[in-house]
Amino acid sequence: MQSSLLRLLQLSSPTLPVGAYAYSQGVEPAVHAGIVHDESTSLTWVQDVLLNNLVYGDLALLSHFYQAWSENDFDKLTSCSELSVALRESAELRQEDLHIAMALLRLAEPLEVDIFKGLSFEKTYPLVFAGFAQHWNIPLEETLQAFAWSWMENQVAAMIKLVPLGQTQGQKILLQMDSSIHLAVKSAQQIPLENIGNSLPHLAILSSQHETQYSRLFRS
């Protein structure tokens, strides 16, 4: 087994202590509003958010971050990071992105990843994730798949707790997402920098509502 595959598994492992499990990214308020309420609506939610939001946001950014790291293009890293922060449509989504990035950055020294030293601009999760992948020689397509899978796994884990769904139903959702993941990864690599931008107004509204939701399992 190649070491790059092992590092990919490490980077996408749920045991990686970045705290992504603490956030629902809109799932909790969607369940609270009755939008997500069973296996079918859970699958629809994951597919729609992946293909209409993640592809044009984090996955497309991740592809450009990866290229910028490979070329040591720090101007592009800076501009893409600013864009990444600007795309967060609610305070909790921005907080999640920066907190997870910071948690992953804390692992850089013990994991002997030294490429982030001297960077003064705000560092987002896709930037840091791409940096780790580039440092560990993980191919871009696999990097995008791992990022999308980690996001999807967190979404399904939240649904198992909130809807609630059974573990078997959760696994069925993951299994049915194969073609959507492949399409998302392929599409994200074809989006030019000037076309990056996601807009799911209802998701942004739900996220904002979650910030003041009376009872919450997930962080806001």
Side-chain angles (χ1 to χ4, degrees):
M1 183 179 291
Q2 296 180 355
S3 59
S4 61
L5 175 57
L6 293 174
R7 297 291 71 77
L8 176 66
L9 294 172
Q10 184 176 4
L11 192 57
S12 59
S13 171
T15 63
L16 193 72
V18 295
Y21 64 87
Y23 299 90
S24 77
Q25 289 201 354
V27 171
E28 184 160 33
V31 172
H32 183 73
I35 298 168
V36 176
H37 54 82
D38 58 13
E39 182 181 336
S40 176
T41 53
S42 296
L43 175 61
T44 298
W45 173 275
V46 175
Q47 287 177 325
D48 285 352
V49 176
L50 172 67
L51 296 176
N52 296 298
N53 187 67
L54 208 69
V55 167
Y56 298 97
D58 280 354
L59 289 179
L61 280 165
L62 185 60
S63 180
H64 284 278
F65 277 130
Y66 188 96
Q67 181 185 18
W69 279 118
S70 70
E71 298 170 354
N72 290 320
D73 188 343
F74 296 104
D75 289 338
K76 185 174 183 179
L77 287 173
T78 303
S79 61
C80 284
S81 187
E82 291 172 351
L83 175 60
S84 184
V85 173
L87 287 176
R88 312 300 158 181
E89 295 183 293
S90 70
E92 75 167 14
L93 291 175
R94 183 176 185 274
Q95 174 187 329
E96 175 188 1
D97 182 62
L98 296 177
H99 280 197
I100 293 176
M102 191 180 303
L104 187 53
L105 277 171
R106 284 196 292 267
L107 297 173
E109 185 174 350
L111 295 180
E112 300 179 351
V113 179
D114 59 359
I115 61 174
F116 304 105
K117 294 180 179 179
L119 299 183
S120 58
F121 54 83
E122 212 160 26
K123 302 166 191 68
T124 66
Y125 186 50
L127 177 145
V128 181
F129 195 96
F132 269 79
Q134 183 65 239
H135 181 79
W136 284 337
N137 296 313
I138 301 170
L140 174 58
E141 186 165 343
E142 283 83 345
T143 299
L144 292 167
Q145 287 176 339
F147 190 95
W149 179 268
S150 295
W151 169 85
M152 181 177 65
E153 193 172 33
N154 279 325
Q155 292 274 283
V156 172
M159 290 167 176
I160 289 172
K161 296 174 184 177
L162 293 166
V163 174
L165 298 178
Q167 296 285 347
T168 300
Q169 290 175 300
Q171 289 299 316
K172 285 172 61 181
I173 291 172
L174 293 175
L175 185 63
Q176 293 176 80
M177 286 294 294
D178 281 9
S179 60
S180 296
I181 289 285
H182 290 307
L183 176 60
V185 168
K186 181 179 179 181
S187 300
Q189 295 178 73
Q190 299 172 353
I191 298 174
L193 185 60
E194 61 270 20
N195 288 348
I196 291 178
N198 50 321
S199 180
L200 285 183
H202 201 181
L203 176 60
I205 291 169
L206 286 169
S207 176
S208 297
Q209 290 174 338
H210 186 244
E211 295 171 4
T212 58
Q213 189 172 311
Y214 172 69
S215 177
R216 299 189 298 266
L217 285 179
F218 289 87
R219 189 172 180 178
S220 178

